[in-house]
């Protein structure tokens, strides 16, 4: 179980805080508006009303004690930049920030954010992948060059094992999970001898180029 400080209870921040708490993590939710805090107080471990741009307020929370601090401020770019700087100065173990655009993302990265998320941009890319290829269910970009894709087993892969399909050598992808169509059970890090069935859901890792090629298979 991890501990998270989530700053900013807009749609993204409140959704993130709620889901982390549902996953049994400790979550301290923070916002400068009392109404936002009151709305989420029953869905997280604890709440605090305060201005994240005030170093004294963040210092009082014991920032270094959290496994991760999330800056999900929905206000101005300057607010999230200043908050990120303060968290860095206070010794936050890991800082994850929400960015509004590419320029904002670049600035936050330069300030020392360990990870920057652009929810609307990421959601658009994932939707584009699933719409463009019928067998793609979801796509997650890990970096500009690599990603993880959830897909339905292509017809000519069915009834053959992972090694028989030469997925690494021929297609450049690694199967990291298989959800069986018949039982719904998920096998993580499946053996090379695992036989793929029609309708199975595969989670595969690889370069963007290889994932695009695999996603085009029928």
């Amino acid at each position: 179980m991890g501990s998270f400080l989530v700053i900013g209870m807009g749609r993204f921040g409140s959704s993130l805080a709620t889901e982390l708490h549902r996953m049994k993590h400790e979550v301290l939710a923070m916002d400068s508006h009392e109404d936002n805090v009151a709305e989420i107080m029953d869905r997280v471990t604890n709440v605090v009303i305060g201005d994240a741009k005030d170093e004294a307020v963040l210092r009082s929370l014991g920032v270094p004690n959290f496994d991760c601090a999330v800056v999900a401020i929905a206000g101005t770019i300057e607010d999230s930049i200043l908050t990120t700087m303060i968290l860095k100065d206070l010794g936050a173990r890991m800082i994850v920030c929400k960015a509004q655009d590419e320029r904002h993302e670049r600035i936050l990265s330069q300030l020392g954010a360990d990870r920057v998320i652009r929810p609307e941009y990421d959601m658009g890319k994932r939707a584009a992948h699933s719409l463009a290829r019928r067998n793609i269910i979801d796509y997650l970009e890990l970096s500009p060059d690599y990603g993880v894709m959830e897909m339905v087993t292509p017809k000519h892969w069915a009834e053959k094992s992972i090694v028989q399909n030469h997925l690494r050598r021929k297609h450049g992808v690694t199967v990291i999970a298989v959800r069986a169509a018949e039982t719904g059970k998920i096998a993580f890090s499946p053996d090379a001898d695992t036989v793929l069935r029609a309708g199975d859901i595969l989670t595969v890792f690889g370069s963007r180029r290889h994932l695009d090629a695999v996603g085009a298979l029928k």
Side-chain angles (χ1 to χ4, degrees):
M1 180 174 67
S3 56
F4 294 83
L5 167 62
V6 183
I7 303 170
M9 289 298 105
R11 285 181 297 179
F12 174 74
S14 60
S15 176
L16 176 68
T18 299
E19 185 64 14
L20 286 170
H21 186 256
R22 188 192 67 79
M23 296 167 65
K24 308 301 182 185
H25 295 294
E26 292 184 358
V27 180
L28 173 59
M30 177 180 182
D31 198 281
S32 58
H33 298 286
E34 185 175 353
D35 290 345
N36 291 345
V37 170
E39 188 173 334
I40 199 173
M41 64 187 308
D42 294 331
R43 292 180 277 143
V44 294
T45 310
N46 210 338
V47 296
V48 62
I49 303 171
D51 185 355
K53 302 188 301 299
D54 187 334
E55 182 174 342
V57 172
L58 288 183
R59 187 183 298 278
S60 69
L61 300 179
V63 168
N65 296 324
F66 292 93
D67 294 317
C68 179
V70 181
V71 182
I73 296 174
T76 66
I77 291 177
E78 289 76 11
D79 287 348
S80 68
I81 290 174
L82 183 55
T83 300
T84 301
M85 291 174 62
I86 295 173
L87 288 171
K88 194 70 177 179
D89 289 342
L90 291 177
R93 298 185 196 177
M94 181 177 184
I95 304 174
V96 176
C97 300
K98 173 192 172 185
Q100 297 182 15
D101 52 38
E102 186 176 358
R103 174 174 169 270
H104 190 196
E105 178 182 5
R106 187 169 60 251
I107 292 173
L108 291 170
S109 296
Q110 291 173 345
L111 288 174
D114 297 285
R115 183 179 178 188
V116 181
I117 300 171
R118 292 166 59 189
E120 294 83 1
Y121 173 78
D122 294 339
M123 185 178 297
K125 291 190 70 172
R126 293 169 68 177
H129 278 273
S130 62
L131 290 173
R133 310 294 189 192
R134 290 187 178 182
N135 64 324
I136 295 179
I137 298 172
D138 202 356
Y139 177 85
L140 176 63
E141 183 179 90
L142 301 178
S143 75
D145 299 319
Y146 290 90
V148 174
M149 185 168 70
E150 193 175 43
M151 62 183 291
V152 178
T153 300
K155 290 181 180 179
H156 69 274
W157 287 7
E159 308 309 321
K160 292 187 289 186
S161 69
I162 292 174
V163 68
Q164 287 174 329
N165 279 302
H166 307 293
L167 299 190
R168 287 188 183 180
R169 181 172 59 82
K170 182 178 179 180
H171 298 284
V173 297
T174 300
V175 179
I176 58 179
V178 178
R179 187 171 71 201
E182 291 187 2
T183 65
K185 292 183 178 180
I186 301 176
F188 295 99
S189 300
D191 295 334
D193 294 329
T194 299
V195 176
L196 306 179
R197 309 294 184 185
D200 284 354
I201 305 301
L202 311 180
T203 303
V204 298
F205 166 80
S207 69
R208 184 173 180 176
R209 176 173 63 87
H210 286 127
L211 291 178
D212 285 344
V214 166
L217 299 175
K218 296 180 180 180

